[in-house]
């Protein structure tokens, strides 16, 4: 099958990243190191890390390993009950703000130019909906960090997740409002088709609404497994998204319990083995993007810098 090329790599017409949890949830493990050439050879340009402690002594080696494989890292910012910009306690808010700044510094030290995550609160806290004033206060703090990140050449995004994982932001419309409240010219939205399928009546319509601020679009199936197996027509979503004129980065994400550390699998409610190996997942996902390239004849104009 004829395919387009991205910077000399066959098959993929988009700037594509893969969540490393498809192989392992431990970025310092031998399994992670072995995954990097697999991703590179399949045409991926970036690897998405789970939360990495900015004070970890192995960060420099991790960054070098990723760079030597010809890939770029995408890091992830998180908050905790003790450091949370969404807290009512000003001291906890301040610690949360400083924690986000440390993730920006981590990204810079690793040579990355994108910081993902849920920076607006504690992931998994969905007990009650914050007030409009509370959301506005959080948006301003996150926006301030996004401006610092931009000054360092880093795009900061925030992921919109479903109602069972947060009560702060669940839809593209809420995300757009959050960017507007932030006052930042650089804060960008991260949408994920898995979460969108729960919250949005129209996936492509939601993408269109977020488009002016959309920095990262992640493809995950309803099953959280192989992209080719589930209820979502991801090929149509991809085709329609490109038709909208989206030129940003894409990501793919899948989880299989047997490949994950048990506490992480438990936290994400991943109970089943949905695919046997990370190689199976990344090659299955790459087919989706290679097929679109062959059908539409797209090429380098669908990548971002």
């Amino acid at each position: 099958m004829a395919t387009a090329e991205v910077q000399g790599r066959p098959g993929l017409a988009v700037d594509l990243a893969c969540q490393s949890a498809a192989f392992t949830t431990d970025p310092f493990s031998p399994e992670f190191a072995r995954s990097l050439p697999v991703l590179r050879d399949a045409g991926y340009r970036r690897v998405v890390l789970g939360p990495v402690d900015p004070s970890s002594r192995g960060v420099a080696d991790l960054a070098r390993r990723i760079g030597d494989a010809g890939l770029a890292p995408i890091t992830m910012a998180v908050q905790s009950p003790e450091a949370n910009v969404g807290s009512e306690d000003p001291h906890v808010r301040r610690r949360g703000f400083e924690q986000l700044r440390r993730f920006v510094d981590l990204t810079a030290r690793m040579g990355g130019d994108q910081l993902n995550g849920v920076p607006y609160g504690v992931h998994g806290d969905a007990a009650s909906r914050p007030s409009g004033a509370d959301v506005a206060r959080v948006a301003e703090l996150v926006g301030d960090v996004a401006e610092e990140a931009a000054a360092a050449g880093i795009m900061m995004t925030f992921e919109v997740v479903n109602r069972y994982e947060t009560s702060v932001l669940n839809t593209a419309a809420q995300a757009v409002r959050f960017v507007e409240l932030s006052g930042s010219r650089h804060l960008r939205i991260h949408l994920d088709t898995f979460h969108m399928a729960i919250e949005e009546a129209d996936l492509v319509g939601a993408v269109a609404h977020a488009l002016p601020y959309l920095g990262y679009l992640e493809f995950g199936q309803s099953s959280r497994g192989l992209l080719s197996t589930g209820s979502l027509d991801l090929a149509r979503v991809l085709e329609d998204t490109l038709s909208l004129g989206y030129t940003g980065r894409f990501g793919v994400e899948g989880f299989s319990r047997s490949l994950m550390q048990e506490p992480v699998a438990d936290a994400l409610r991943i109970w089943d083995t949905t695919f046997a190996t990370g190689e199976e997942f990344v090659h299955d996902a790459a087919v989706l993007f290679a097929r679109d390239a062959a059908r539409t004849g797209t090429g380098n104009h669908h990548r971002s810098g």
Side-chain angles (χ1 to χ4, degrees), residues 4-15 43 45 299-300 303:
E5 292 186 355
V6 173
Q7 293 196 349
R9 296 185 184 178
L12 305 183
V14 298
D15 184 346
R45 293 176 60 188
N300 290 350
R303 61 180 171 84

Side-chain angles (χ1 to χ4, degrees), residues 28-94:
F28 300 103
S29 67
E31 290 80 9
F32 178 83
R34 287 193 291 269
S35 75
L36 298 175
V38 174
L39 289 171
R40 177 197 63 213
D41 294 345
Y44 293 76
R45 293 176 60 188
R46 305 173 197 277
V47 59
V48 182
L49 305 174
V52 173
D53 185 343
S55 65
S56 296
R57 292 200 296 182
V59 165
D61 287 340
L62 177 60
R64 183 162 46 251
R65 194 172 302 124
I66 294 170
D68 287 348
L71 299 170
I74 296 178
T75 52
M76 183 178 296
V78 295
Q79 297 283 266
S80 68
E82 300 78 26
N84 175 20
V85 292
S87 174
E88 295 181 358
D89 184 327
H91 300 292
V92 176
R93 283 202 304 275
R94 170 53 59 177

Side-chain angles (χ1 to χ4, degrees), residues 171-239:
T171 68
Q174 292 167 355
V176 168
R177 180 59 177 157
F178 189 82
V179 174
E180 293 169 348
L181 289 169
S182 76
S184 171
R185 296 179 296 114
H186 298 102
L187 183 62
R188 292 293 178 262
I189 296 169
H190 167 182
L191 294 180
D192 181 321
T193 59
F194 168 78
H195 300 292
M196 294 168 71
I198 297 173
E199 301 293 346
E200 305 284 3
D202 176 359
L203 269 67
V204 177
V207 171
H209 185 70
L211 197 62
Y213 305 112
L214 185 60
Y216 190 64
L217 181 59
E218 191 165 49
F219 279 49
Q221 252 302 352
S222 59
S223 62
R224 308 224 84 172
L226 298 177
L227 298 193
S228 62
T229 305
S231 61
L232 297 178
D233 185 351
L234 295 179
R236 176 55 60 87
V237 174
L238 176 59
E239 182 178 0

Side-chain angles (χ1 to χ4, degrees), residues 50-288:
V52 173
D53 185 343
S55 65
S56 296
R57 292 200 296 182
V59 165
D61 287 340
L62 177 60
R64 183 162 46 251
R65 194 172 302 124
I66 294 170
D68 287 348
L71 299 170
I74 296 178
T75 52
M76 183 178 296
V78 295
Q79 297 283 266
S80 68
E82 300 78 26
N84 175 20
V85 292
S87 174
E88 295 181 358
D89 184 327
H91 300 292
V92 176
R93 283 202 304 275
R94 170 53 59 177
R95 288 195 292 271
F97 182 77
E98 293 303 326
Q99 176 77 315
L100 294 180
R101 296 182 72 198
R102 283 192 286 274
F103 282 115
V104 172
D105 178 68
L106 169 71
T107 308
R109 286 190 286 125
M110 292 194 68
D113 66 356
Q114 183 172 338
L115 174 61
N116 287 357
V118 178
Y120 48 77
V122 178
H123 182 262
D125 182 4
S128 61
R129 174 81 74 178
S131 70
D134 289 340
V135 172
R137 182 180 63 206
V138 172
E140 289 183 9
L141 291 172
V142 173
D144 287 346
V145 178
E147 290 299 299
E148 290 190 22
I154 296 166
M155 175 177 67
M156 183 176 183
T157 75
F158 61 96
E159 185 172 8
V160 183
V161 299
N162 69 73
R163 70 188 72 188
Y164 306 108
E165 298 184 19
T166 186
S167 58
V168 181
L169 299 171
N170 306 129
T171 68
Q174 292 167 355
V176 168
R177 180 59 177 157
F178 189 82
V179 174
E180 293 169 348
L181 289 169
S182 76
S184 171
R185 296 179 296 114
H186 298 102
L187 183 62
R188 292 293 178 262
I189 296 169
H190 167 182
L191 294 180
D192 181 321
T193 59
F194 168 78
H195 300 292
M196 294 168 71
I198 297 173
E199 301 293 346
E200 305 284 3
D202 176 359
L203 269 67
V204 177
V207 171
H209 185 70
L211 197 62
Y213 305 112
L214 185 60
Y216 190 64
L217 181 59
E218 191 165 49
F219 279 49
Q221 252 302 352
S222 59
S223 62
R224 308 224 84 172
L226 298 177
L227 298 193
S228 62
T229 305
S231 61
L232 297 178
D233 185 351
L234 295 179
R236 176 55 60 87
V237 174
L238 176 59
E239 182 178 0
D240 290 350
T241 295
L242 293 174
S243 295
L244 290 172
Y246 177 65
T247 59
R249 293 171 181 170
F250 288 86
V252 296
E253 182 176 73
F255 301 103
S256 187
R257 187 174 181 87
S258 63
L259 303 175
M260 305 171 71
Q261 292 178 302
E262 191 170 284
V264 181
D266 289 349
L268 293 176
R269 308 296 190 264
I270 307 300
W271 309 123
D272 299 317
T273 295
T274 56
F275 45 86
T277 66
E279 289 88 341
E280 181 184 7
F281 176 81
V282 300
H283 289 298
D284 176 83
V287 167
L288 171 68

